[in-house]
Amino acid sequence: MEVWPAIDIRGGNCVRLRQGDYAQETVFAHDPVEMAKFWVSQGAKRLHLVDLDGAKDGRPTNFDCIAALVRVIDIPCELGGGIRDEQTIQSLLGIGLARLVIGTLALKQPEWFRRMCEKYPGKLVLGIDAKNGFVATDGWLETSSTPAVTLAQQFETSPLAAIVYTDIATDGMMQGPNLPEMKAMQQQAAVPVVASGGVTTLTDVKNLAEAGLAGCIIGRALYERTIALPEAIVVAGD
């Protein structure tokens, strides 16, 4: 199972939110570029970046910071947050990002998302953020009436790189992932599923790997040191 250390960027800082709540922010570092270098030094083989301002604003907001990070990091990086049009896709792939996570537009404009997947095969990730099993959008500020599994199945014939499945209820809460939901999504999805939200201990990493998940994103647990990245990589078999 792949391990993806998370770097969430807001206002140029490296932060973590609780349950996607912008009012519950903890700043862990003031330089995301240096944080990226640190995770690489700890053995990271890939990084999951989130432009939290972009997710809220509907457009990339920390572009310069992200471009600087990608320029000095020689491992694949993926980015989510505020990717709402093809020009943005081109710009972000152009600075060297390996793949892009798109959520809101996949739900609201599925035909557009299918076209983008065909045009950029293996470069786009379907970001499914779920609250009580239903898809949340617009930086988690809105909850739709679409079940998470239904959204995944809409794109089962598209050349997606992966699905990043985030359980909002557990995200940033340090209480463990929603293992049944994650396992069910991987079983029903036609592409690799990367679990996000609540990974707190090495046991959580082990459980996700044994459940067949293709990857897991680890955020707050790394910053609060309840998980050491080198140990997580070993446990995951990454």
Side-chain angles (χ1 to χ4, degrees):
M1 181 177 72
E2 297 176 348
V3 175
W4 292 77
I7 297 179
D8 291 7
I9 303 168
R10 187 181 185 204
N13 294 319
C14 181
V15 309
R16 295 300 294 171
L17 307 181
R18 291 185 183 275
Q19 296 181 316
D21 185 349
Y22 285 73
Q24 298 188 65
E25 175 189 274
T26 303
V27 176
F28 283 103
H30 296 292
D31 189 343
V33 176
E34 289 303 312
M35 184 57 66
K37 290 179 180 178
F38 175 73
W39 293 134
V40 171
S41 75
Q42 293 290 296
K45 299 176 183 177
R46 58 195 72 80
L47 294 172
H48 175 78
L49 314 176
V50 181
D51 184 344
L52 287 172
D53 297 299
K56 195 173 184 178
D57 298 342
R59 57 181 174 77
T61 305
N62 291 285
F63 185 90
D64 292 342
C65 174
I66 291 161
L69 187 157
V70 173
R71 204 159 40 236
V72 300
I73 298 300
D74 60 359
I75 60 173
C77 297
E78 70 178 13
L79 172 72
I83 303 169
R84 309 282 169 85
D85 56 55
E86 186 175 2
Q87 183 177 353
T88 300
I89 291 172
Q90 292 176 341
S91 296
L92 292 172
L93 291 177
I95 63 173
L97 285 158
R99 58 194 206 181
L100 307 175
V101 183
I102 298 177
T104 296
L105 260 286
L107 176 68
K108 294 186 174 180
Q109 298 182 30
E111 289 304 321
W112 173 86
F113 184 63
R114 286 192 188 90
R115 289 200 308 274
M116 293 303 99
C117 288
E118 295 291 339
K119 192 167 182 178
Y120 305 96
K123 293 291 186 180
L124 302 185
V125 175
L126 174 60
I128 302 180
D129 304 326
K131 191 172 186 177
N132 300 319
F134 291 91
V135 178
T137 65
D138 300 288
W140 298 355
L141 301 177
E142 304 292 337
T143 303
S144 74
S145 59
T146 302
V149 171
T150 300
L151 181 61
Q153 292 173 340
Q154 283 185 32
F155 303 105
E156 59 187 7
T157 61
S158 298
L160 286 168
I163 290 172
V164 168
Y165 186 35
T166 303
D167 182 73
I168 295 175
T170 62
D171 189 71
M173 298 305 290
M174 301 289 285
Q175 295 175 357
N178 188 334
L179 194 61
E181 284 288 328
M182 297 299 168
K183 185 175 182 178
M185 178 62 77
Q186 181 63 88
Q187 289 175 338
Q188 296 179 69
V191 297
V193 175
V194 178
S196 175
V199 179
T200 307
T201 66
L202 288 175
T203 300
D204 294 334
V205 176
K206 180 174 180 288
N207 288 341
L208 287 168
E210 290 179 348
L213 274 296
C216 72
I217 293 168
I218 311 177
R220 184 176 289 271
L222 291 176
Y223 294 94
E224 297 193 354
R225 301 183 181 181
T226 65
I227 293 178
L229 181 58
E231 294 176 358
I233 290 170
V234 170
V235 169
D238 187 5

